[in-house]
Amino acid sequence: MSKQERTESPLEHEKDPRLRSREVTEGRDRAPHRSMFRAMGFDDEDLESPMVGVANPAADITPCNVHLDDVAAAAIEGVDEAGGMPIEFGTITISDAISMGTEGMKSSLISREVIADSVELVAFGERMDALVTVAGCDKNLPGMMMAAIRTDLPSVFLYGGTILPGHHEGRDVTIQDVFEGVGAVADGKMSEEELDHLEREACPGAGSCAGMYTANTMASISEALGLAPLGSASAPAEFEERYDIARRAGDAVLDAVENDRRPSDVISKKSFENAIALQVAVGGSTNAVLHLLALAAEAGVDLSIDEFDDIARRTPKISNLQPGGTMVMADLHEEGGVPVVLRRLLEADLVHGDAMTVTGRTIAEELERLDLPADDEIDSDLLRPVDDPFHEEGAIKILKGNLAPDGAVLKVTGEEGFYHEGPARIFENEEDAMEYVQEGEIESGDVIAIRNEGPQGGPGMREMLGVTAAVVGQGHEDDVALLTDGRFSGATRGPMIGHVAPEASAGGPIALLEDGDEVTVDIPNRTLEMDVSDEELERRREEWEPHPPKYETGVLAKYGRQFGSAANGAVTNPGVKED
């Protein structure tokens, strides 16, 4: 890992006394430490430079991460050329799409915590000076950003990029179409043969799922938060531009080191308000609610779930991105990427232009520096003006009521004024609900209620794209609602309400819901109610007993005991945990 020829470092000759890597590289007592570094090919010039950790969750278990060794290598090259000492280390990933619908999905949200913990541990233990945090699949992104905020080292977030859409029968398709195809086959609307063709064509290569699903949502949000340079989120994984972005991230982190610019200098309440405005304007994943609450907790920023609804009420949905629309992240990239959305929101005074970014410049200053297409050159089928939106309000809605006193989360992908009343069909886990749907038992008007899938009760708060896609695939997108204390994939569409809090295992009202109870979902009034009197609920509560823990040992038992409420981000960090 010898260093390439490079220009003079801004920190050349004498190691900056601010750098904590001096603890392992300087002085006679550190000769053994330097010897270990030399065994890995580092030289004197390296040991005089800032030590930059490149956290890389590359793995062959998901197309989101299969190419990240190459992305990390480009970032390492950028760090090296800018005068840093790049040290790559690995961490885990879980493929949400592959674990979806199985018991394995319980590990997904836990992986967010493990990633944050592991990056923190390596950075702390090895006395690193800075971080480039690389991410691909869904939970990589919040996990890496949590680690950057928690360590408060000069850091740049680097996304691995989106997958390109596949092509099937003359149209673009994504993994969402395959999940919905399973439901269509069960309902006789698609043949097994067509589903086979679809599965072979939907995912053409490396990169994270193509629509404005969780990974692309959190990548977009990384720009709005200021943790990633503007314009860095949208380039597809297999474009050469993705590797140029990675090299520039390596250069940017050395600038942050030189100027001692840390996440705490970048992140503020305004950053989170900008992130939420962007999320609701593009129709981003409901998972971003959970992750932004967790990131705010790590940053010590006061953020409540109600603020998502407040911002959504004043911020229109201006994009036509899947799952609520028809286009994908690569289409947004062709029109200028996330910055063109931020520019429209800034011009409408819907984001804070004076919020800081990782470059040391504000959002407004960064937008001025970018060479973006003129507003009238942008495809109006993809992105609408703020005064002529696809929906008058943002896509994220927070519902409350006697079923969800602490809140529940819904993403509008259809009619804004959705109102639904129907009988509850109770399921104690995802598998039983999926069997009900697949066997064709579902009826128009049903409210499918899946409980004991929350952060503690699951444990791990499984995503349920399999069930929701099967419902939609059978033609019930508009006449069946689903609610759960678990959560959904960013690819979920239809009236699907997740994050119901308090969760069933904590004695939340969803635990007291009985089969046949009338449930009302009222999006305009933001309510989620069951037609059960307070007296009856109290009677049921006296008889209720919590389900015993599903896991007594191992990682699921450990994190199941540590998770906080979904209404506060389901965090496990004891220093920020809220009940």
Side-chain angles (χ1 to χ4, degrees):
M1 195 173 175
S2 298
K3 297 192 80 71
Q4 303 171 5
E5 290 298 320
R6 64 186 185 187
T7 58
E8 186 174 355
S9 165
L11 301 174
E12 199 79 20
H13 308 310
E14 256 183 64
K15 196 156 188 171
D16 192 310
R18 297 171 299 175
L19 300 178
R20 67 177 185 179
S21 61
R22 296 173 72 243
E23 297 175 30
V24 294
T25 62
E26 290 192 356
R28 181 180 57 202
D29 292 349
R30 296 299 180 253
H33 306 65
R34 291 192 295 273
S35 186
M36 296 291 284
F37 282 119
R38 295 185 196 284
M40 296 180 283
F42 294 107
D43 59 21
D44 289 346
E45 190 177 18
D46 293 306
L47 296 170
E48 293 169 358
S49 304
M51 188 186 298
V52 179
V54 180
N56 176 15
D60 292 342
I61 58 174
T62 171
C64 311
N65 292 51
V66 71
H67 64 303
L68 291 188
D69 277 336
D70 294 333
V71 175
I76 288 167
E77 182 181 334
V79 170
D80 189 40
E81 291 176 350
M85 177 182 175
I87 297 184
E88 183 180 13
F89 63 92
T91 186
I92 68 159
T93 190
I94 297 294
S95 171
D96 283 16
I98 292 175
S99 63
M100 192 78 66
T102 75
E103 188 177 15
M105 174 48 84
K106 295 174 186 285
S107 67
S108 170
L109 187 60
I110 292 172
S111 77
R112 182 190 75 176
E113 305 300 300
V114 172
I115 290 166
D117 291 351
S118 64
V119 174
E120 178 192 7
L121 281 171
V122 175
F124 177 82
E126 303 305 312
R127 315 313 289 155
M128 289 179 174
D129 302 312
L131 291 169
V132 175
T133 54
V134 185
C137 198
D138 294 2
K139 305 311 171 296
N140 296 181
L141 290 88
M144 289 295 185
M145 286 187 265
M146 288 165 67
I149 291 170
R150 192 184 298 172
T151 62
D152 203 30
L153 295 174
S155 300
V156 174
F157 176 79
L158 175 59
Y159 184 40
T162 182
I163 196 173
L164 293 168
H167 301 283
H168 176 70
E169 296 186 344
R171 62 188 175 95
D172 286 350
V173 292
T174 72
I175 193 67
Q176 173 187 330
D177 296 280
V178 186
F179 274 101
E180 292 181 6
V182 173
V185 169
D187 201 42
K189 295 178 179 177
M190 180 184 287
S191 68
E192 294 273 4
E193 183 180 16
E194 183 179 350
L195 180 62
D196 179 69
H197 288 309
L198 180 60
E199 82 168 63
R200 296 172 189 276
E201 296 163 346
C203 298
S208 302
C209 297
M212 191 51 72
Y213 310 147
T214 301
N216 282 329
T217 298
M218 293 306 299
S220 302
I221 279 172
S222 72
E223 293 189 30
L225 282 172
L227 294 174
L230 260 62
S232 64
S234 61
E238 297 188 334
F239 280 20
E240 182 56 36
E241 188 177 351
R242 173 52 53 198
Y243 299 93
D244 293 338
I245 289 167
R247 282 184 282 272
R248 292 199 298 272
D251 182 73
V253 78
L254 265 295
D255 180 73
V257 171
E258 181 182 6
N259 291 283
D260 196 28
R261 189 182 310 116
R262 300 169 183 269
S264 58
D265 299 314
V266 174
I267 292 290
S268 66
K269 183 60 177 284
K270 290 181 178 180
S271 306
F272 283 96
E273 290 174 347
N274 286 352
I276 296 168
L278 179 69
Q279 175 197 8
V280 302
V282 298
S285 169
T286 53
N287 282 313
V289 176
L290 196 73
H291 301 325
L292 282 169
L293 288 167
L295 289 166
E298 296 283 356
V301 171
D302 185 18
L303 184 68
S304 77
I305 196 170
D306 296 316
E307 292 176 77
F308 288 81
D309 202 70
D310 293 340
I311 293 172
R313 287 180 185 271
R314 64 176 184 258
T315 308
K317 180 177 180 287
I318 60 175
S319 82
N320 180 33
L321 293 163
Q322 293 185 21
T326 60
M327 297 189 177
V328 296
M329 188 68 152
D331 296 318
L332 180 60
H333 181 67
E334 293 300 317
E335 301 299 323
V338 175
V340 298
V341 184
L342 287 171
R343 182 178 63 186
R344 290 197 174 177
L345 296 177
L346 178 61
E347 290 170 349
D349 200 27
L350 293 170
V351 295
H352 304 284
D354 60 347
M356 190 55 64
T357 76
V358 68
T359 65
R361 294 179 289 271
T362 66
I363 289 276
E365 289 168 340
E366 286 292 276
L367 289 173
E368 284 291 330
R369 292 168 61 91
L370 293 174
D371 183 19
L372 300 176
D375 268 348
D376 59 6
E377 296 174 350
I378 296 170
D379 184 357
S380 61
D381 289 336
L382 169 68
L383 195 67
R384 291 265 187 89
V386 169
D387 59 3
D388 182 28
F390 289 101
H391 289 154
E392 293 296 327
E393 294 184 346
I396 297 295
K397 315 292 183 185
I398 305 300
L399 310 184
K400 289 192 171 182
N402 67 352
L403 245 176
D406 293 344
V409 183
L410 174 142
K411 178 171 67 176
V412 171
T413 58
E415 176 56 49
E416 282 190 281
F418 183 84
Y419 178 91
H420 182 91
E421 290 184 43
R425 306 300 181 204
I426 308 297
F427 301 94
E428 303 298 337
N429 55 63
E430 179 187 0
E431 287 82 1
D432 290 349
M434 187 63 170
E435 182 179 354
Y436 175 83
V437 173
Q438 290 288 71
E439 290 182 354
E441 299 291 337
I442 191 169
E443 296 181 9
S444 178
D446 277 353
V447 178
I448 299 172
I450 307 174
R451 61 193 179 197
N452 300 305
E453 294 286 5
Q456 298 169 6
M461 204 177 180
R462 279 194 285 186
E463 289 182 3
M464 301 186 193
L465 179 58
V467 176
T468 62
V471 171
V472 172
Q474 291 186 26
H476 291 291
E477 180 180 356
D478 300 316
D479 64 357
V480 167
L482 187 151
L483 63 92
T484 179
D485 52 8
R487 59 193 176 89
F488 301 123
S489 162
T492 290
R493 62 190 177 105
M496 313 297 179
I497 302 104
H499 308 204
V500 171
E503 64 176 287
S505 71
I510 190 173
L512 310 179
L513 192 63
E514 294 185 355
D515 213 63
D517 285 343
E518 196 76 6
V519 173
T520 300
V521 179
D522 185 344
I523 293 178
N525 291 307
R526 305 294 203 271
T527 56
L528 181 62
E529 297 273 350
M530 53 179 164
D531 188 17
V532 180
S533 69
D534 292 343
E535 293 76 16
E536 173 61 13
L537 285 176
E538 187 56 37
R539 184 194 67 78
R540 293 180 186 181
R541 183 172 300 282
E542 290 174 359
E543 297 179 356
W544 175 77
E545 292 184 3
H547 281 241
K550 297 182 178 70
Y551 306 91
E552 297 289 351
T553 63
V555 68
L556 271 72
K558 178 168 69 175
Y559 279 94
R561 288 192 290 268
Q562 293 176 355
F563 273 123
S565 169
N568 296 311
V571 296
T572 61
N573 183 349
V576 302
K577 185 174 176 180
E578 298 179 65
D579 293 325

mmCIF file of all heavy atoms in Angstrom, residues 26-47:
data_model
loop_
_atom_site.group_PDB
_atom_site.id
_atom_site.type_symbol
_atom_site.label_atom_id
_atom_site.label_comp_id
_atom_site.label_asym_id
_atom_site.label_seq_id
_atom_site.Cartn_x
_atom_site.Cartn_y
_atom_site.Cartn_z
ATOM 1 N N GLU A 26 4.034 8.812 16.919
ATOM 2 C CA GLU A 26 5.147 9.685 17.278
ATOM 3 C C GLU A 26 5.799 9.273 18.604
ATOM 4 O O GLU A 26 5.123 8.799 19.522
ATOM 5 C CB GLU A 26 4.668 11.140 17.369
ATOM 6 C CG GLU A 26 4.311 11.732 16.016
ATOM 7 C CD GLU A 26 4.132 13.241 16.076
ATOM 8 O OE1 GLU A 26 4.218 13.831 17.173
ATOM 9 O OE2 GLU A 26 3.902 13.836 15.012
ATOM 10 N N GLY A 27 7.096 9.486 18.669
ATOM 11 C CA GLY A 27 7.829 9.252 19.909
ATOM 12 C C GLY A 27 8.506 7.894 19.949
ATOM 13 O O GLY A 27 8.096 6.948 19.274
ATOM 14 N N ARG A 28 9.543 7.821 20.783
ATOM 15 C CA ARG A 28 10.317 6.582 20.919
ATOM 16 C C ARG A 28 9.449 5.419 21.373
ATOM 17 O O ARG A 28 9.596 4.286 20.902
ATOM 18 C CB ARG A 28 11.449 6.820 21.924
ATOM 19 C CG ARG A 28 12.345 5.601 22.147
ATOM 20 C CD ARG A 28 13.428 5.937 23.151
ATOM 21 N NE ARG A 28 12.830 6.393 24.409
ATOM 22 C CZ ARG A 28 13.479 7.131 25.308
ATOM 23 N NH1 ARG A 28 14.722 7.517 25.092
ATOM 24 N NH2 ARG A 28 12.869 7.481 26.434
ATOM 25 N N ASP A 29 8.502 5.692 22.280
ATOM 26 C CA ASP A 29 7.659 4.630 22.823
ATOM 27 C C ASP A 29 6.744 4.022 21.773
ATOM 28 O O ASP A 29 6.166 2.949 22.003
ATOM 29 C CB ASP A 29 6.807 5.169 23.978
ATOM 30 C CG ASP A 29 7.648 5.530 25.196
ATOM 31 O OD1 ASP A 29 8.838 5.172 25.220
ATOM 32 O OD2 ASP A 29 7.101 6.190 26.105
ATOM 33 N N ARG A 30 6.602 4.702 20.649
ATOM 34 C CA ARG A 30 5.692 4.207 19.609
ATOM 35 C C ARG A 30 6.423 3.475 18.487
ATOM 36 O O ARG A 30 5.858 3.207 17.440
ATOM 37 C CB ARG A 30 4.858 5.364 19.044
ATOM 38 C CG ARG A 30 3.933 6.001 20.099
ATOM 39 C CD ARG A 30 2.925 4.994 20.639
ATOM 40 N NE ARG A 30 2.043 5.590 21.637
ATOM 41 C CZ ARG A 30 2.103 5.345 22.934
ATOM 42 N NH1 ARG A 30 3.044 4.499 23.417
ATOM 43 N NH2 ARG A 30 1.263 5.917 23.766
ATOM 44 N N ALA A 31 7.677 3.160 18.705
ATOM 45 C CA ALA A 31 8.430 2.387 17.706
ATOM 46 C C ALA A 31 7.738 1.056 17.374
ATOM 47 O O ALA A 31 7.648 0.672 16.197
ATOM 48 C CB ALA A 31 9.863 2.155 18.186
ATOM 49 N N PRO A 32 7.211 0.314 18.377
ATOM 50 C CA PRO A 32 6.506 -0.930 18.026
ATOM 51 C C PRO A 32 5.271 -0.679 17.157
ATOM 52 O O PRO A 32 4.967 -1.463 16.250
ATOM 53 C CB PRO A 32 6.116 -1.506 19.390
ATOM 54 C CG PRO A 32 7.066 -0.897 20.358
ATOM 55 C CD PRO A 32 7.321 0.485 19.838
ATOM 56 N N HIS A 33 4.583 0.412 17.427
ATOM 57 C CA HIS A 33 3.385 0.736 16.658
ATOM 58 C C HIS A 33 3.757 1.045 15.204
ATOM 59 O O HIS A 33 3.118 0.556 14.270
ATOM 60 C CB HIS A 33 2.675 1.947 17.277
ATOM 61 C CG HIS A 33 2.359 1.799 18.733
ATOM 62 N ND1 HIS A 33 3.330 1.691 19.702
ATOM 63 C CD2 HIS A 33 1.165 1.758 19.392
ATOM 64 C CE1 HIS A 33 2.767 1.571 20.896
ATOM 65 N NE2 HIS A 33 1.456 1.613 20.736
ATOM 66 N N ARG A 34 4.817 1.854 15.053
ATOM 67 C CA ARG A 34 5.256 2.192 13.694
ATOM 68 C C ARG A 34 5.731 0.943 12.959
ATOM 69 O O ARG A 34 5.550 0.812 11.737
ATOM 70 C CB ARG A 34 6.357 3.243 13.752
ATOM 71 C CG ARG A 34 5.870 4.609 14.222
ATOM 72 C CD ARG A 34 6.919 5.686 13.996
ATOM 73 N NE ARG A 34 8.130 5.474 14.792
ATOM 74 C CZ ARG A 34 8.313 5.899 16.043
ATOM 75 N NH1 ARG A 34 7.336 6.574 16.657
ATOM 76 N NH2 ARG A 34 9.444 5.674 16.678
ATOM 77 N N SER A 35 6.327 0.045 13.684
ATOM 78 C CA SER A 35 6.777 -1.204 13.058
ATOM 79 C C SER A 35 5.605 -1.974 12.462
ATOM 80 O O SER A 35 5.703 -2.538 11.368
ATOM 81 C CB SER A 35 7.502 -2.061 14.097
ATOM 82 O OG SER A 35 8.059 -3.203 13.504
ATOM 83 N N MET A 36 4.499 -1.973 13.180
ATOM 84 C CA MET A 36 3.297 -2.645 12.661
ATOM 85 C C MET A 36 2.795 -1.951 11.397
ATOM 86 O O MET A 36 2.410 -2.611 10.420
ATOM 87 C CB MET A 36 2.200 -2.640 13.739
ATOM 88 C CG MET A 36 2.539 -3.418 14.989
ATOM 89 S SD MET A 36 2.594 -5.212 14.720
ATOM 90 C CE MET A 36 0.850 -5.589 14.643
ATOM 91 N N PHE A 37 2.797 -0.627 11.397
ATOM 92 C CA PHE A 37 2.380 0.103 10.199
ATOM 93 C C PHE A 37 3.317 -0.198 9.026
ATOM 94 O O PHE A 37 2.880 -0.366 7.893
ATOM 95 C CB PHE A 37 2.349 1.611 10.473
ATOM 96 C CG PHE A 37 1.144 2.075 11.240
ATOM 97 C CD1 PHE A 37 1.282 2.691 12.481
ATOM 98 C CD2 PHE A 37 -0.142 1.901 10.726
ATOM 99 C CE1 PHE A 37 0.179 3.124 13.193
ATOM 100 C CE2 PHE A 37 -1.254 2.334 11.429
ATOM 101 C CZ PHE A 37 -1.097 2.943 12.666
ATOM 102 N N ARG A 38 4.608 -0.249 9.310
ATOM 103 C CA ARG A 38 5.564 -0.513 8.229
ATOM 104 C C ARG A 38 5.354 -1.904 7.629
ATOM 105 O O ARG A 38 5.594 -2.114 6.430
ATOM 106 C CB ARG A 38 6.992 -0.350 8.750
ATOM 107 C CG ARG A 38 7.312 1.083 9.173
ATOM 108 C CD ARG A 38 8.776 1.245 9.573
ATOM 109 N NE ARG A 38 8.993 2.486 10.308
ATOM 110 C CZ ARG A 38 9.046 3.698 9.755
ATOM 111 N NH1 ARG A 38 8.877 3.839 8.453
ATOM 112 N NH2 ARG A 38 9.268 4.761 10.502
ATOM 113 N N ALA A 39 4.908 -2.840 8.441
ATOM 114 C CA ALA A 39 4.616 -4.180 7.931
ATOM 115 C C ALA A 39 3.531 -4.151 6.860
ATOM 116 O O ALA A 39 3.461 -5.042 6.010
ATOM 117 C CB ALA A 39 4.195 -5.090 9.080
ATOM 118 N N MET A 40 2.679 -3.114 6.898
ATOM 119 C CA MET A 40 1.587 -2.982 5.922
ATOM 120 C C MET A 40 1.948 -2.067 4.758
ATOM 121 O O MET A 40 1.098 -1.733 3.932
ATOM 122 C CB MET A 40 0.338 -2.470 6.628
ATOM 123 C CG MET A 40 -0.206 -3.433 7.675
ATOM 124 S SD MET A 40 -1.689 -2.827 8.506
ATOM 125 C CE MET A 40 -0.998 -1.626 9.650
ATOM 126 N N GLY A 41 3.226 -1.641 4.696
ATOM 127 C CA GLY A 41 3.673 -0.859 3.564
ATOM 128 C C GLY A 41 3.646 0.635 3.765
ATOM 129 O O GLY A 41 3.939 1.391 2.832
ATOM 130 N N PHE A 42 3.299 1.104 4.947
ATOM 131 C CA PHE A 42 3.306 2.537 5.212
ATOM 132 C C PHE A 42 4.739 3.012 5.457
ATOM 133 O O PHE A 42 5.573 2.272 6.003
ATOM 134 C CB PHE A 42 2.427 2.875 6.416
ATOM 135 C CG PHE A 42 0.954 2.606 6.174
ATOM 136 C CD1 PHE A 42 0.321 1.534 6.783
ATOM 137 C CD2 PHE A 42 0.210 3.417 5.331
ATOM 138 C CE1 PHE A 42 -1.028 1.271 6.570
ATOM 139 C CE2 PHE A 42 -1.133 3.170 5.107
ATOM 140 C CZ PHE A 42 -1.755 2.098 5.723
ATOM 141 N N ASP A 43 5.019 4.265 5.073
ATOM 142 C CA ASP A 43 6.375 4.803 5.212
ATOM 143 C C ASP A 43 6.362 6.063 6.068
ATOM 144 O O ASP A 43 5.333 6.434 6.644
ATOM 145 C CB ASP A 43 6.994 5.064 3.836
ATOM 146 C CG ASP A 43 6.185 6.038 2.990
ATOM 147 O OD1 ASP A 43 5.384 6.828 3.560
ATOM 148 O OD2 ASP A 43 6.334 6.036 1.757
ATOM 149 N N ASP A 44 7.508 6.732 6.145
ATOM 150 C CA ASP A 44 7.632 7.912 6.996
ATOM 151 C C ASP A 44 6.631 8.997 6.597
ATOM 152 O O ASP A 44 6.049 9.663 7.460
ATOM 153 C CB ASP A 44 9.053 8.478 6.918
ATOM 154 C CG ASP A 44 10.071 7.598 7.616
ATOM 155 O OD1 ASP A 44 9.645 6.708 8.381
ATOM 156 O OD2 ASP A 44 11.282 7.792 7.395
ATOM 157 N N GLU A 45 6.466 9.171 5.293
ATOM 158 C CA GLU A 45 5.552 10.199 4.822
ATOM 159 C C GLU A 45 4.120 9.907 5.272
ATOM 160 O O GLU A 45 3.380 10.803 5.666
ATOM 161 C CB GLU A 45 5.620 10.299 3.303
ATOM 162 C CG GLU A 45 4.881 11.496 2.732
ATOM 163 C CD GLU A 45 5.042 11.592 1.231
ATOM 164 O OE1 GLU A 45 5.428 10.579 0.597
ATOM 165 O OE2 GLU A 45 4.772 12.670 0.684
ATOM 166 N N ASP A 46 3.736 8.646 5.221
ATOM 167 C CA ASP A 46 2.416 8.259 5.715
ATOM 168 C C ASP A 46 2.267 8.611 7.182
ATOM 169 O O ASP A 46 1.262 9.195 7.608
ATOM 170 C CB ASP A 46 2.214 6.745 5.565
ATOM 171 C CG ASP A 46 2.152 6.286 4.136
ATOM 172 O OD1 ASP A 46 1.336 6.832 3.375
ATOM 173 O OD2 ASP A 46 2.931 5.384 3.783
ATOM 174 N N LEU A 47 3.280 8.240 7.962
ATOM 175 C CA LEU A 47 3.182 8.374 9.406
ATOM 176 C C LEU A 47 3.181 9.829 9.859
ATOM 177 O O LEU A 47 2.809 10.119 11.000
ATOM 178 C CB LEU A 47 4.324 7.607 10.072
ATOM 179 C CG LEU A 47 4.275 6.080 9.850
ATOM 180 C CD1 LEU A 47 5.562 5.422 10.316
ATOM 181 C CD2 LEU A 47 3.075 5.471 10.548
#
